[in-house]
Amino acid sequence: MLKTISKATRNNWQRLHTDASGRLTSRANKMLSTRRIMTTSYAASSVAVQLLKLVNEMPHPVGNVMYSLCRSCLLYHRLWDKPHVRQAFSAFRYHVVDGVNVPEQAWTDESDVLGFVYQSLLTEGERISNGCYYTSLAMVNDMLDDLTLASGETFLDPCCGSGAFLLRVRTANPSNLYGIDNDAVAVMIATTNLLVKYSDVVFTPHIFCADFLSNDFRVSSFTPTLPSPDYIYTNPPWGADKEIAHQACLSDLKTNERASLFLMRSLAIVKPTGRVGFLLPASLLKIDRHQGLRKFIIEHTGIIRLSLYPTRFNGVFTSCFSIVLSPLKAESQRYSLKSDNNSCEVVLTLDNRRCGRIVFMPLSPIDQAIVDKMERHRHDDLSHSQWALGIVTGDNRRRVLSKADHHVEPVITGRDIQPYCISEPSAYLQYEPQAFQQSAPEHLYRAPAKLVYRFIAPYPVVAYDPCQRLCLNSANILIPSVEGLSALSVMALLNSSLYRFYYQLHFPDLKVLQGNLRKLPFPLLKPKEDAWLSNMAEQMTMSGATQDMLNETDAYVCKLFGLSTAETEHILRSVTLTQEKHNFDSRET
């Protein structure tokens, strides 16, 4: 039964840009965004891009368009009229559309043209809502590099998409390949791709449309011949299951992160002698809320290999990694770590195991020596400081202005923040907290003196704000409380090359998270040391930070921690390389 709503309630929904379900209707909520992003990181050959342009504006349902392309592909390879192909396609209830003029060479391209076109036709909101980003060929090849199915061994991808993993597994028998996906169009594309790859084999691809996380899901209900796969490799959906649709999966780790749920279920059904390989967001290695998953992996599985990938998916900030696990508990966690074409062996210490820390950046001897000295000088941290997120308006285009008038005031954005200083205002906002999607208590914005830092950055970039200005969500607030240190001294330490170096070693990402900042070590300074740092920071805040002043501060900070000349020079070289690698331009999110 529909519930009648009052006029006041409807007005509140409109003011907050939400509907009756509480979901934002503004474009600021990317889950509702209708923007399309070309997936250039996935099979973007010139002929694939040409085909995408032809179908991008077709006024037909995406399912019908993709059905027509799948049929065209199978016709080209002279497969469409074969009985086993017609049987496989009898399950798909789509229709052929007219006007699809496929370019020559489209179906001779070795990349996944169908998957590329389909991903690029999905809206940004659909991709974020489903957490689906198809895996690049380079990552798939790396994950499957040492895997060849022996006779009788089976391989399952429970989030198969268009079949990237299934197409690259080395096997003489495609009937040993199994795929599951809850997207019927993706299942159709994966079926097509397998039929084309194994065009000389008469078989029906084992690709099923189902929810692998469903409480009543059983692999055997779809494939009685597959009680337990030998291998489960996949790129699962990323992000939280905000609808909490899979309650039965949440009890062990108390998480609603979909990638974690897929991993847990896979470990539960794979053969004891088998392997599980997952592509996961790098946040699972770093963020505190995923510590439960890391501890489970360390305490109940055996880590075989971990690979880091610098490439990011289109429209995604976080980097990713792959991990290969044995479902059997390892007495000592010893695994291969690969990054930037370099590999080494890692053995987790007892402290790592106790803390649920999976090492993903082995330290060189000089790096370890520097970190050890910083830890020996640790006296306090930022865990008892005050924090605030910047404002999320829900509609920046309408609310955030580029010029001042009598209704608005300056607002700090991430790109305004430089080390120590805040640039002249580039954005203005009328303070209406009741209309914002997210807003901190006003007294934190109006604090007489506060630090502000960039949210999107490879390491802390911190400035001092004595003007009680508002902040947008790309600029967050810190009011530090550290024994023996003024706020200005905290800023000087955070902006120093030493702290940038330490941060990059421990948190190599493009987001500066509160949880990471809380873990940084701060020394106990003598009053004269705190005064020196405060005075230098105040000068740079007032008149700008010259290179000479930055260098002098760097040298002083390194001296506070007892670092040698060689260690100091190593830090400066490392930070310089990082600065050259990253572009600091932040985005309003």
Side-chain angles (χ1 to χ4, degrees), residues 294 297-299 303 331-335 345-354 356-360:
R294 295 192 296 270
I297 289 172
I298 291 171
E299 294 172 0
I303 306 174
E331 292 304 319
S332 66
Q333 291 290 1
R334 182 187 300 268
Y335 55 91
E345 185 178 71
V346 173
V347 180
L348 294 187
T349 65
L350 289 176
D351 184 60
N352 288 331
R353 297 166 69 107
R354 179 182 56 80
R357 185 185 303 121
I358 298 176
V359 173
F360 57 94

Side-chain angles (χ1 to χ4, degrees), residues 396-537:
N396 279 1
R397 291 185 179 181
R398 185 169 66 88
R399 295 188 179 279
V400 180
L401 308 181
S402 58
K403 295 182 180 179
D405 64 31
H406 63 284
H407 295 296
V408 298
E409 59 181 294
V411 59
I412 301 170
T413 69
R415 62 170 54 93
D416 296 333
I417 300 173
Q418 310 300 325
Y420 298 97
C421 304
I422 300 172
S423 303
E424 288 298 314
S426 60
Y428 299 85
L429 179 70
Q430 184 173 357
Y431 185 62
E432 300 176 291
Q434 72 281 2
F436 297 151
Q437 180 183 337
Q438 169 187 288
S439 179
E442 185 176 4
H443 74 272
L444 296 174
Y445 298 121
R446 308 303 186 189
K450 64 177 183 287
L451 303 184
V452 291
Y453 61 94
R454 289 187 180 189
F455 175 55
I456 304 300
Y459 43 62
V461 181
V462 187
Y464 185 74
D465 174 41
C467 300
Q468 303 178 321
R469 281 173 283 190
L470 303 174
C471 298
L472 281 185
N473 63 313
S474 57
N476 293 332
I477 294 171
L478 164 62
I479 303 175
S481 174
V482 179
E483 184 180 359
L485 294 177
S486 69
L488 288 170
S489 292
V490 170
M491 175 175 62
L493 291 171
L494 291 175
N495 281 327
S496 70
S497 291
L498 176 58
Y499 275 71
R500 291 183 174 186
F501 173 82
Y502 183 98
Y503 192 93
Q504 276 282 283
L505 285 181
H506 291 82
F507 318 109
D509 209 343
L510 282 179
K511 292 181 180 179
V512 176
L513 303 176
Q514 179 188 141
N516 295 344
L517 293 175
R518 286 173 177 265
K519 297 175 182 176
L520 298 177
F522 286 85
L524 178 63
L525 298 186
K526 299 174 181 177
K528 64 177 183 180
E529 293 169 336
D530 177 60
W532 191 97
L533 278 179
S534 294
N535 290 336
M536 183 63 79

Side-chain angles (χ1 to χ4, degrees), residues 25 190 198 206 231-232 326 445 539:
T25 56
Y198 296 97
H206 299 309
Y231 300 95
I232 302 179
S326 163
Y445 298 121
Q539 291 179 49

Side-chain angles (χ1 to χ4, degrees), residues 90-239:
S90 64
F92 305 121
R93 307 301 180 188
Y94 300 107
H95 305 288
V96 176
V97 300
D98 297 325
V100 182
N101 299 313
V102 179
E104 293 185 12
Q105 286 81 46
W107 307 134
T108 60
D109 193 314
E110 293 185 359
S111 63
D112 180 12
V113 172
L114 291 168
F116 166 77
V117 171
Y118 180 50
Q119 271 279 284
S120 300
L121 288 177
L122 295 177
T123 66
E124 183 179 33
E126 290 170 325
R127 294 174 67 192
I128 292 174
S129 178
N130 295 326
C132 294
Y133 299 90
Y134 284 11
T135 321
S136 74
L137 178 59
M139 293 179 188
V140 174
N141 287 340
D142 179 74
M143 291 178 66
L144 298 176
D145 181 56
D146 59 351
L147 177 57
T148 299
L149 296 189
S151 176
E153 287 188 331
T154 53
F155 180 98
L156 170 66
D157 182 345
C159 325
C160 67
S162 61
F165 285 92
L166 300 172
L167 293 169
R168 266 74 193 186
V169 177
R170 292 183 289 274
T171 180
N173 185 1
S175 293
N176 290 334
L177 303 176
Y178 295 81
I180 299 167
D181 203 284
N182 62 0
D183 183 334
V185 176
V187 167
M188 178 175 63
I189 295 171
T191 299
T192 302
N193 283 335
L194 281 178
L195 288 168
V196 169
K197 176 170 182 180
Y198 296 97
S199 58
D200 57 342
V201 181
V202 176
F203 79 110
T204 299
H206 299 309
I207 313 293
F208 305 97
C209 187
D211 182 357
F212 185 67
L213 294 183
S214 173
N215 295 340
D216 57 358
F217 177 83
R218 297 291 182 275
V219 174
S220 58
S221 64
F222 290 89
T223 57
T225 59
L226 185 69
S228 293
D230 293 279
Y231 300 95
I232 302 179
Y233 279 58
T234 195
N235 173 12
W238 297 1

